[in-house]
Amino acid sequence: VSELATMMDVTATQVIATCMNLGTMVSINQRLDAETLSIVAEEFGYKVDFISVEVQEAIAEEVDKDEDLLVRPPIITVMGHVDHGKTSLLDYVRKANVIAGEAGGITQHIGAYNVTLEDGRKITFLDTPGHEAFTAMRARGAQVTDVAIIIVAADDNVMPQTIEAINHAAAAGVPIVFAINKVDRDAADPERIKSELANLNYMVEDWGGKYQSQEISAKTGLGVSELLDKVLLESEMLDLKANPDKRAIGSVVESSLDRGRGYTSTVLVESGTLHVGDVILAGPYHGHVKAMFNERNQQVKSVGPSEPVLVLGLNGAPQAGDKFNCLDSEREARQIANKREQLQREQGLRTQKHITLDEIGRRIAIGNFQELNVIVKGDVDGSIEALSDSLIKLSTEEIQVNIIHKAVGQISESDVMLATASNAIVVGFQVRPSIGARKLAEKEEIDIRLYSIIYDAIEEVKAAMEGMLSPEI
Ligand code: GDP
């Protein structure tokens, strides 16, 4: 409703009033069906043209043969509570990895960097620590992490953001290695951290569980190489492979506008090899790769799988998590970029429509619904536990209810991003969304349901699961 009002340059109230005259009650964020849309637009003197959101993009996917697949380095993200040492760990690894004779080492922050261990094995680190960045990328369709390091300070406790980070990694299906940091401090008590993790059902290996953990000091470097060994062990089990011998595809890590160089984007190659001169398309932007720089500020001519590189030559700044492709001709790239831009502009295009409680009933009816992901936020721990338990118990043979994250506090942007990435609904009990979260939820079409009575929350989800929920007005 509000988008239509903006496009027609009238107020949302006028659109709502017109709908009411037609006998439909709508709210400002409601999606109108095609027929209503046409009638309303006509009332204001507009004619509606429907164009397909399915852009026919002629980007041919190249199929890989088994023998073309080569081992690629793992991509690692470091997550954890603020001040527990994410930045220090990334800094330590970066500095420790100054290869002998190399001037300056890793001097540039480009959003990701690649290190080579003494035995020749390589690891790529995403240099934007935190689960917010991780999930923001995932929300745009990019899964650019193979293993997550969750860092916990041994002189502190497992904190709310630690739990949030664990849940964000788990929701993405990314294996976790725990780094128990700051063990150089007198107040450090790693065993307490392990017991707190065990209480959350994350039992570490020394306690007989399945999660690898390593005591480290990001300050002195103690235990860091053992940590990297464990990360590599975890990633070996994933059997990470890619074909370097084709046109590159991958994801954008970050972009900016540089006064001297124009638009720069750090991209991470997923497979194939990116060369200087290639025609590249990322989100709604395109261009020729004019030059590429690695994290050591050296010019490079080509980069392969799992390698990050700063690219010059795009005609705009694509967002973190946008995919990039390489095409045969600039004309083709321009056409697709223009089409994408037009769609984004005209329609506020969403690649994925997110689930609402109303939608659940409909999908159950047509039988294509198996899992309902829920994020529960509340004012006190007790009610969150009670509500989560009751929701899980609503699971039936057909539908599994998953609580992918629960925590005390208002509904934050990070919650909405997680919901976007995991196609979840957000249930708030005696709490409200922040302004930022509300805006993001509107943009991403995330269903946030607020309750002050547990019974109401359970009844509504239950009704939705039974396909009986009347549409929300
Ligand atoms: P982030 O917020 O998770 O990125 O945390 P930082 O890396 O900025 O670290 C927060 C503070 O803890 C800084 O003052 C660091 O110097 C300190 N710190 C981080 N790791 C260690 C460690 O292993 N030992 C000690 N003593 N201090 C650390």
Side-chain angles (χ1 to χ4, degrees):
V1 167
S2 73
E3 271 172 41
L4 178 64
T6 313
M7 281 163 91
M8 302 193 301
D9 205 14
V10 300
T11 65
T13 323
Q14 285 174 280
V15 173
I16 293 172
T18 311
C19 289
M20 242 155 88
N21 288 340
L22 297 168
T24 350
M25 297 283 287
V26 295
S27 66
I28 185 158
N29 296 316
Q30 196 157 327
R31 192 172 269 272
L32 299 177
D33 61 54
E35 197 189 342
T36 315
L37 197 69
S38 304
I39 300 172
V40 173
E42 223 163 83
E43 293 282 319
F44 290 93
Y46 289 92
K47 191 177 160 297
V48 176
D49 251 341
F50 291 95
I51 55 171
S52 169
V53 293
E54 306 293 334
V55 200
Q56 286 303 319
E57 292 184 346
I59 304 171
E61 281 269 339
E62 293 173 66
V63 187
D64 297 318
K65 287 199 254 26
D66 271 355
E67 64 263 31
D68 295 336
L69 294 175
L70 300 182
V71 175
R72 66 167 178 84
I75 302 164
I76 309 300
T77 300
V78 181
M79 311 197 239
H81 193 75
V82 64
D83 280 347
H84 278 196
K86 297 181 292 289
T87 316
S88 303
L89 176 60
L90 285 163
D91 285 350
Y92 182 84
V93 173
R94 184 185 349 204
K95 288 196 194 112
N97 194 251
V98 180
I99 295 166
E102 184 191 342
I106 301 174
T107 49
Q108 284 215 118
H109 169 95
I110 64 166
Y113 63 82
N114 185 274
V115 294
T116 309
L117 305 187
E118 272 171 13
D119 59 8
R121 292 183 296 174
K122 289 179 171 207
I123 305 182
T124 299
F125 279 90
L126 279 188
D127 200 5
T128 37
H131 56 274
E132 293 86 357
F134 166 81
T135 298
M137 289 182 77
R138 203 159 76 80
R140 300 190 64 77
Q143 174 92 303
V144 281
T145 297
D146 299 307
V147 178
I149 293 178
I150 305 274
I151 192 165
V152 196
D155 63 344
D156 200 1
N157 296 89
V158 168
M159 297 296 278
Q161 277 182 293
T162 315
I163 299 173
E164 208 170 290
I166 293 173
N167 290 340
H168 280 229
V174 171
I176 291 170
V177 174
F178 290 101
I180 300 178
N181 189 30
K182 306 197 188 182
V183 294
D184 59 292
R185 289 204 171 157
D186 290 339
D189 184 358
E191 292 306 304
R192 190 187 59 232
I193 302 297
K194 291 176 195 169
S195 107
E196 288 177 10
L197 290 173
N199 286 339
L200 293 167
N201 271 331
Y202 283 87
M203 189 89 82
V204 298
E205 274 186 344
D206 343 343
W207 281 43
K210 63 171 179 172
Y211 293 93
Q212 299 200 77
S213 77
Q214 177 63 44
E215 292 170 22
I216 63 161
S217 165
K219 196 171 172 186
T220 68
L222 180 84
V224 173
S225 68
E226 288 83 354
L227 173 69
L228 300 186
D229 276 341
K230 289 180 178 175
V231 164
L232 280 163
L233 189 69
E234 199 69 45
S235 49
E236 269 159 28
M237 291 191 273
L238 299 172
D239 196 23
L240 303 169
K241 285 185 174 160
N243 175 6
D245 197 21
K246 62 176 187 180
R247 277 190 303 213
I249 54 171
S251 302
V252 175
V253 175
E254 61 177 40
S255 297
S256 61
L257 180 58
D258 182 302
R259 216 181 267 167
R261 302 190 285 187
Y263 290 103
T264 64
S265 290
T266 297
V267 302
L268 201 51
V269 175
E270 256 156 52
S271 63
T273 297
L274 184 64
H275 307 270
V276 170
D278 283 350
V279 174
I280 183 170
L281 169 75
Y285 304 108
H286 72 284
H288 270 112
V289 177
K290 271 196 252 161
M292 298 195 288
F293 292 87
N294 64 15
E295 62 277 37
R296 291 164 172 81
N297 209 10
Q298 298 158 326
Q299 282 223 34
V300 287
K301 291 263 172 277
S302 62
V303 281
S306 292
E307 288 185 332
V309 73
L310 186 83
V311 169
L312 271 59
L314 277 167
N315 65 348
Q319 280 183 276
D322 274 340
K323 289 253 163 225
F324 81 82
N325 296 84
C326 291
L327 295 162
D328 283 334
S329 76
E330 183 153 11
R331 215 183 101 244
E332 201 184 346
R334 191 186 320 116
Q335 273 174 359
I336 297 174
N338 287 347
K339 218 183 231 171
R340 285 183 183 171
E341 208 223 317
Q342 185 192 0
L343 278 170
Q344 275 188 5
R345 201 177 48 230
E346 289 181 3
Q347 297 184 283
L349 172 77
R350 269 177 245 319
T351 44
Q352 192 186 8
K353 179 153 168 22
H354 292 289
I355 199 76
T356 63
L357 270 186
D358 305 335
E359 176 77 6
I360 293 164
R362 199 185 66 75
R363 292 226 205 144
I364 289 166
I366 57 174
N368 72 347
F369 202 82
Q370 286 91 37
E371 283 191 303
L372 171 57
N373 290 336
V374 186
I375 294 168
V376 180
K377 295 299 287 272
D379 59 342
V380 287
D381 218 29
S383 42
I384 296 168
E385 291 302 323
L387 179 55
S388 306
D389 286 351
S390 309
L391 291 175
I392 290 169
K393 283 201 195 110
L394 292 175
S395 301
T396 62
E397 273 184 7
E398 290 82 33
I399 317 160
Q400 172 69 40
V401 178
N402 302 320
I403 308 295
I404 58 168
H405 178 55
K406 58 182 179 210
V408 174
Q410 72 172 353
I411 297 164
S412 66
E413 282 175 64
S414 151
D415 295 325
V416 176
M417 275 191 296
L418 179 60
T420 310
S422 307
N423 208 13
I425 61 166
V426 184
V427 170
F429 180 73
Q430 300 275 32
V431 290
R432 312 188 60 77
S434 67
I435 294 172
R438 192 183 292 275
K439 281 198 184 132
L440 189 61
E442 254 167 46
K443 183 165 156 269
E444 298 291 344
E445 296 192 333
I446 291 300
D447 197 4
I448 297 183
R449 298 265 167 160
L450 305 175
Y451 302 95
S452 47
I453 300 172
I454 289 190
Y455 175 82
D456 287 348
I458 299 164
E459 281 304 299
E460 245 185 75
V461 174
K462 191 170 158 204
M465 289 174 63
E466 286 165 358
M468 314 191 314
L469 196 74
S470 56
E472 197 187 29
I473 295 173

